[in-house]
Amino acid sequence: MFTETNGVIATISKGQTVVTALQEVSSNHVKGELSDEKLQESYLHVTWRNLRSSDSGKYFCGAHVIGSDGRAERLNEIVTVKVKLPMFEDLVNVIQKLLIQVNDDREILQDNTQNIKSIQNELSNNQDNVIKIYKDLDNHEQNFIRIKIDLDSNQQNIKNINQDLDNQKQNIIRINTDLNSKEQQFTRFNTDLDSKQQNIISIKQELESSKKDFNEHRQNMSIFKDMLDTVILSRSSSLADVKEELTKGNEYFYNNSKQKLDVFVYLFLHTFFNQNRDSQTS
């Protein structure tokens, strides 16, 4: 639907479920529907309120349809509208509506005035808040500067800590190396200790054997001492006999000739060895 002066007023199409209307026409005053069923009519309806003289003119309504035989067809309809001067009753209705609108506008104005005062108070409060916010921002900026300084200091501390950690790591590596060396030394010490323990056991066994041998030797020495005492006593008596024989031999030597000396020596030696043999046998 369109007019000569204002152009298109409202449209509706098959793929469009909502009617499109101009801004001058309220959507509440435009209705329309398209249907494919034969028993249900398709239509586009526009209603005006409080017409103006400029709304006078020709109104065209066009529709593209497809007949029952499948042929496309365009339908057109023209309506001429002429807006007359309003009657007294129309003016009364309009004045009543205007008074109602004025009262509504007055209430809206009062509400707006109150809202403006509230907004002014709120703006004043907001201004104070803005001043406080600026002060807070200054404080935050100072805090930010201090925080940045602290962060720089903390970063340096972190670097120092990382350096200390690296040093500690190197120390741990050296300590682990020393521990491994100590562990190897401890293993060798345990091996040596086991060997020493075996040696101590062997020495103890040898001491026990030596102690046994010593006891046997001491017993043998006691027996030998007794035998030696016997031999000494026997030889002491033999020496006395030898001395006596020597005395006799000297007398015989001086009394007899030198040729008899060999016989005396033979007898002396024979007597001495016989006595020694008898003492050893006993």
Side-chain angles (χ1 to χ4, degrees):
M1 184 179 294
F2 63 95
T3 65
E4 291 178 327
T5 57
N6 296 327
V8 178
I9 298 173
T11 61
I12 188 172
S13 61
K14 185 175 181 180
Q16 178 184 356
T17 58
V18 179
V19 178
T20 301
L22 296 178
Q23 294 180 357
E24 289 81 0
V25 181
S26 175
S27 60
N28 294 328
H29 300 155
V30 179
K31 296 180 180 180
E33 184 178 356
L34 292 178
S35 177
D36 293 333
E37 298 180 3
K38 294 181 179 180
L39 298 178
Q40 186 175 357
E41 294 182 351
S42 299
Y43 68 94
L44 178 61
H45 185 272
V46 179
T47 304
W48 280 268
R49 294 287 186 271
N50 300 324
L51 292 175
R52 296 169 298 180
S53 59
S54 60
D55 293 328
S56 299
K58 292 182 179 181
Y59 287 79
F60 301 90
C61 182
H64 296 275
V65 298
I66 297 177
S68 59
D69 55 357
R71 290 185 303 171
E73 186 179 359
R74 176 179 174 82
L75 301 177
N76 293 310
E77 188 69 28
I78 300 174
V79 176
T80 301
V81 177
K82 185 177 181 181
V83 179
K84 297 180 180 180
L85 293 175
M87 301 297 291
F88 179 76
E89 294 178 355
D90 295 331
L91 292 175
V92 171
N93 292 329
V94 171
I95 290 172
Q96 288 178 350
K97 291 180 180 180
L98 289 175
L99 289 174
I100 294 172
Q101 185 67 36
V102 168
N103 290 328
D104 292 339
D105 291 341
R106 185 180 291 111
E107 291 178 358
I108 293 172
L109 181 61
Q110 290 177 354
D111 293 337
N112 290 335
T113 302
Q114 186 65 34
N115 290 332
I116 289 172
K117 290 181 180 180
S118 299
I119 291 171
Q120 287 177 347
N121 292 329
E122 187 175 355
L123 285 175
S124 178
N125 294 329
N126 288 334
Q127 187 175 4
D128 294 336
N129 291 330
V130 168
I131 294 173
K132 292 180 181 179
I133 289 171
Y134 276 121
K135 291 182 180 179
D136 292 337
L137 285 175
D138 292 335
N139 294 329
H140 288 314
E141 185 176 3
Q142 295 297 323
N143 292 331
F144 179 77
I145 293 172
R146 287 194 296 271
I147 290 171
K148 188 176 183 301
I149 294 173
D150 292 337
L151 284 175
D152 293 336
S153 177
N154 289 330
Q155 286 179 351
Q156 185 63 37
N157 291 331
I158 289 172
K159 289 181 180 179
N160 295 331
I161 290 171
N162 287 331
Q163 184 66 35
D164 292 337
L165 286 175
D166 292 336
N167 294 331
Q168 294 296 330
K169 185 177 180 181
Q170 294 298 325
N171 291 331
I172 290 172
I173 292 173
R174 287 194 295 271
I175 290 171
N176 286 330
T177 303
D178 293 338
L179 285 175
N180 291 329
S181 177
K182 295 297 183 183
E183 185 177 1
Q184 292 177 358
Q185 292 178 0
F186 183 73
T187 302
R188 289 195 297 270
F189 176 76
N190 285 332
T191 303
D192 294 338
L193 183 61
D194 292 336
S195 177
K196 296 297 183 183
Q197 287 179 349
Q198 294 296 326
N199 292 333
I200 290 172
I201 293 172
S202 299
I203 291 171
K204 284 183 177 181
Q205 292 176 353
E206 290 178 358
L207 285 174
E208 292 294 332
S209 177
S210 298
K211 184 177 180 181
K212 184 177 180 181
D213 293 338
F214 177 75
N215 291 329
E216 291 179 356
H217 287 303
R218 186 172 63 180
Q219 186 177 2
N220 292 331
M221 287 295 293
S222 178
I223 296 171
F224 178 76
K225 182 180 179 182
D226 293 338
M227 292 176 64
L228 184 61
D229 291 337
T230 303
V231 171
I232 290 172
L233 291 174
S234 175
R235 288 189 177 181
S236 296
S237 61
S238 297
L239 288 174
D241 294 337
V242 169
K243 185 177 180 180
E244 184 179 356
E245 291 294 332
L246 286 174
T247 302
K248 291 179 180 182
N250 288 329
E251 292 177 356
Y252 181 80
F253 177 76
Y254 288 110
N255 293 326
N256 297 298
S257 63
K258 187 177 180 180
Q259 288 81 10
K260 295 180 180 180
L261 180 60
D262 293 334
V263 176
F264 174 76
V265 171
Y266 171 76
L267 292 174
F268 170 75
L269 292 175
H270 179 72
T271 303
F272 178 76
F273 283 112
N274 285 332
Q275 289 178 353
N276 287 334
R277 184 177 59 188
D278 293 337
S279 63
Q280 289 178 358
T281 302
S282 61

